[in-house]
Amino acid sequence: LKSVGFKTVSIIDPKFKFEDLGVGGLDQELADIFRKAFASRRFPPAVLQKYGIKHAKGLLLYGPPGCGKTLIAKKLAGVLNSVKPKIVNGPSILSEFIGKAEENIRNLFADARKDEIEKGDSSPLHVIIFDEMDAICRKRGSSSSTSAEVGDKIVNQLLTMIDGPESLNNILVIGMTNMKELIDPAILRAGRFEYHVEIGLPDDKGRLDILKIHTATMFKNGTIDPNINLEEIVRDTKNYTGADIEQLVKVALSYSIGKMQDLMDFSKPIDPKNLPLVTMEDFKKAIQEVKPLFGVDEQFQV
Ligand code: ATP
C-alpha cells in the first residue's frame, strides 16, 4: 500500500491470531464478526473509498448469559489498536433527570468526536460496548409512560451518534443483549446495528475447547492429572455455558485443594513442591454441585 502512496493506518495488532483470544467453541462466530465488523478496518480510508462503502459502526451480539458475548467484545477490541474500549451497562445510562440520559450518551462519544475533529482519518478507533442494550433501546412508542418517552429519546440520541448528520466514522458500538426481541427495530436497521451475531450455548466441541482454555494453566504447570478424561467431563456437562464451565473448574480445584492434609494447620506454610493434582474425582464432585443455568427444557438449550 505504501507503494501507491496511501497513508496506512494500522489498527490491527500484527501478531493477532484467533487462537490466542481465549474464546472457546465460537470459531465460526468469531470469523463472522471479524469479516463483518472488523476486516474493513484493515483498509486505509483512501483504499476503502475505492469500494464506495463505509465501515460497520454497530454490531449486536445476542444470546443467553455467560456464553462469551462480553469476552468476545473485549478481546476483539483489544486486538485493534483502538483506544481502551468503554464498557457501559445499559441501565446505568438511564436517569430520572430530564435530558440527563441523552447527555450521558453524548458524553460517551465525546472522546471519539474530539479525535475525529482533531485527527480526521488518522483517528484511532473508539469501541463502545453496551451491556444490557435492551434496557435502553426498547421498542419505541410501546407505552405512553414517562419511562417509555425517556427510552425514545435515548434511542434517538444513539441513532444520531451512529447514523445521524453528525455521526462519527471512528467508532464501533457493540451492543449486547439476552433479549434481542425487545430491542427497537430502528436500532437494528442497516447503517446502525446492522450485523447481528448469535452467541449461543456451546456444543460438545465448544465445551471441550472452553474446558481446555480454563485448564490450560493447570496442564502447563502440571497441577492437573495429565490422564484426566476431558471428553467424559464434556459428556456430563450438556447445557453448561462457558461461565458454568469456568465455575466448574474453580469448584473442582477447590475439591482438590480441600484434600490437602495440612490445609487447616495454619502454622504450616503451603509447600509449592507438594501441591495436589486436580483429578477426575474432583470434577465429578464439582459436576454434582455446579448445575447449568438452563435446564434441558428451556429456551436456550442446544
Ligand atoms: P451476559 O449476557 O450475562 O453479559 P456474556 O455472554 O457476556 O453474559 P461473558 O461475560 O462473556 O458472558 O462470560 C463470562 C465468563 O465465562 C467469561 O469471562 C469467561 O471466563 C467464561 N466464558 C464464557 N464463554 C466462554 C467461551 N466461549 N470461551 C471461554 N470462556 C468463556
Side-chain angles (χ1 to χ4, degrees):
L1 291 171
K2 272 194 191 118
S3 64
V4 288
F6 290 115
K7 186 168 71 169
T8 54
V9 184
S10 162
I11 62 159
I12 310 261
D13 183 338
K15 291 191 236 61
F16 170 66
K17 277 202 240 100
F18 274 130
E19 306 85 86
D20 298 338
L21 285 181
V23 177
L26 292 166
D27 300 354
Q28 199 57 51
E29 289 82 349
L30 277 173
D32 203 24
I33 293 168
F34 196 79
R35 182 170 47 79
K36 287 170 173 166
F38 289 86
S40 72
R41 301 205 178 254
R42 292 207 62 190
F43 290 70
V47 176
L48 202 65
Q49 271 170 20
K50 290 177 174 262
Y51 293 93
I53 53 149
K54 290 187 179 154
H55 297 301
K57 291 197 239 167
L59 168 71
L60 184 79
L61 303 181
Y62 66 97
C67 290
K69 296 184 292 299
T70 316
L71 189 67
I72 289 179
K74 283 203 281 198
K75 294 283 176 123
L76 280 180
V79 167
L80 301 165
N81 284 336
S82 66
V83 170
K84 190 169 183 290
K86 287 187 184 161
I87 305 182
V88 196
N89 185 253
S92 72
I93 292 286
L94 302 173
S95 167
E96 58 195 87
F97 299 109
I98 295 171
K100 180 76 178 129
E102 296 103 288
E103 188 188 323
N104 288 343
I105 299 256
R106 281 195 302 276
N107 286 345
L108 266 179
F109 290 86
D111 292 339
R113 180 168 301 286
K114 187 164 171 279
D115 266 358
E116 185 149 292
I117 291 168
E118 287 174 7
K119 300 177 187 154
D121 282 348
S122 321
S123 163
L125 179 69
H126 289 251
V127 179
I128 299 172
I129 302 174
F130 275 99
D131 198 5
E132 294 189 61
M133 174 100 176
D134 50 280
I136 55 165
C137 296
R138 296 252 153 154
K139 287 183 176 146
R140 287 183 290 184
S142 50
S143 146
S144 59
S145 71
T146 319
S147 64
E149 280 168 29
V150 173
D152 287 4
K153 289 190 178 142
I154 295 178
V155 172
N156 284 334
Q157 185 62 62
L158 195 55
L159 291 180
T160 305
M161 307 310 292
I162 297 175
D163 191 31
E166 291 179 69
S167 64
L168 303 166
N169 286 316
N170 59 346
I171 52 163
L172 176 67
V173 187
I174 306 181
M176 296 183 300
T177 180
N178 307 138
M179 288 173 286
K180 183 185 167 203
E181 64 284 359
L182 295 185
I183 294 185
D184 190 322
I187 279 275
L188 304 178
R189 276 213 301 274
R192 298 159 178 184
F193 285 82
E194 57 206 306
Y195 296 121
H196 315 157
V197 180
E198 182 173 11
I199 307 299
L201 277 179
D203 59 12
D204 289 2
K205 181 191 169 298
R207 293 200 307 286
L208 183 61
D209 283 354
I210 297 170
L211 198 52
K212 283 181 180 164
I213 287 170
H214 289 284
T215 51
T217 306
M218 294 176 184
F219 277 107
K220 188 166 149 240
N221 296 315
T223 50
I224 192 168
D225 175 358
N227 298 318
I228 203 160
N229 188 342
L230 295 184
E231 279 79 12
E232 191 180 331
I233 300 172
V234 163
R235 274 199 301 278
D236 291 341
T237 52
K238 193 163 163 45
N239 278 349
Y240 279 53
T241 64
D244 291 333
I245 292 173
E246 185 184 18
Q247 179 66 8
L248 184 77
V249 174
K250 283 189 193 157
V251 173
L253 174 64
S254 77
Y255 278 114
S256 163
I257 291 174
K259 285 184 294 195
M260 287 174 82
Q261 271 182 352
D262 295 333
L263 190 65
M264 299 311 284
D265 182 349
F266 297 106
S267 65
K268 291 195 180 148
I270 301 288
D271 177 2
K273 292 201 193 72
N274 196 18
L275 297 176
L277 293 188
V278 181
T279 63
M280 198 63 193
E281 192 198 347
D282 300 324
F283 268 99
K284 290 213 161 125
K285 285 189 198 147
I287 288 169
Q288 291 307 313
E289 192 175 315
V290 179
K291 290 296 165 199
L293 193 56
F294 302 104
V296 188
D297 301 329
E298 287 179 72
Q299 181 191 1
F300 289 120
Q301 60 173 296
V302 273

